[in-house]
Amino acid sequence: MHDIPAALGDSVRQQTLTAMYSEHHGWLHGWLRKKLGCSQQAADLAHDAFIRVLLLAEPQNIKEPRAFLATTAGRLLIDGARRRRIEKAYMQALVIQCEDAGMPDPAAIHVALQALERIAELLAGLPAKAREAFLLSRLDGLTYSDIATRLEVSPSTVKNYIASALVHCYHSLHAADPLV
């Protein structure tokens, strides 16, 4: 008997959320686009504002949806600006610390991380053992025998794994280039 009121409450909540989204999302996106000058950022922020509404226990109690959404989006803008200021200050402190320690600057670290992400994308289509063998060889500098022991396969299988990884990477890099 307690399930029926809970189901009704869920239904009312869902109807409220659906109605609020369909009636106010376009307006909120447009309002944010004017403020930000960027449709993608506005879409992201509108999405985040509606996520906040979804997290409310009783969204049906919102009396003025547009005011609520504008306030929520405004707070998200402030939070984002605050976060960017903190990130900027952190990066500046990191630059100083890296310079003092003789480490590469954050921009170089960022470029290296992007390269690693690209490598991860290239290797994503490989079977797990071939990917692992390739990484153990190239990043850890292990010999085929060491890799074979670790993966519990023969050194010739490791050689085949690495060869297939190299071919896979080559095809991934040059698939869009018809001249190669």
Side-chain angles (χ1 to χ4, degrees):
M1 204 173 238
H2 294 289
D3 291 336
I4 294 172
L8 279 175
D10 287 344
S11 175
V12 168
R13 185 175 194 283
Q14 174 119 13
Q15 290 172 354
T16 300
L17 292 169
T18 301
M20 184 182 292
Y21 187 85
S22 64
E23 292 172 19
H24 303 293
H25 180 266
W27 168 82
L28 181 62
H29 181 262
W31 183 76
L32 288 167
R33 190 177 57 242
K34 287 178 189 171
K35 280 189 146 327
L36 298 169
C38 175
S39 184
Q40 289 84 9
Q41 286 180 334
D44 288 345
L45 209 54
H47 172 79
D48 291 345
F50 276 98
I51 292 292
R52 296 274 173 103
V53 173
L54 282 171
L55 296 174
L56 294 174
E58 297 179 358
Q60 62 274 15
N61 291 341
I62 297 172
K63 301 295 181 219
E64 298 290 332
R66 287 190 177 186
F68 181 86
L69 290 167
T71 300
T72 300
R75 288 178 181 159
L76 288 168
L77 277 169
I78 292 167
D79 290 347
R82 185 179 303 128
R83 185 176 53 252
R84 284 187 296 279
R85 281 195 308 272
I86 291 169
E87 288 172 356
K88 183 179 178 185
Y90 175 75
M91 291 300 287
Q92 289 171 342
L94 191 59
V95 165
I96 292 168
Q97 184 180 6
C98 288
E99 288 172 355
D100 290 345
M103 294 173 61
D105 67 271
I109 293 170
H110 179 71
V111 168
L113 287 174
Q114 285 182 320
L116 287 173
E117 286 176 5
R118 178 69 177 126
I119 291 168
E121 288 173 9
L122 287 173
L123 299 177
L126 282 173
K129 284 201 175 190
R131 181 175 50 249
E132 187 174 356
F134 181 80
L135 292 173
L136 288 171
S137 171
R138 298 297 187 220
L139 296 181
D140 295 343
L142 297 181
T143 66
Y144 287 9
S145 295
D146 293 337
I147 297 167
T149 302
R150 189 175 284 189
L151 297 180
E152 299 177 348
V153 296
S154 70
S156 63
T157 301
V158 171
K159 183 178 177 182
N160 290 336
Y161 284 160
I162 292 175
S164 70
L166 290 171
V167 168
H168 176 81
C169 289
Y170 179 83
H171 286 299
S172 295
L173 286 171
H174 299 291
D177 189 357
L179 298 176
V180 177

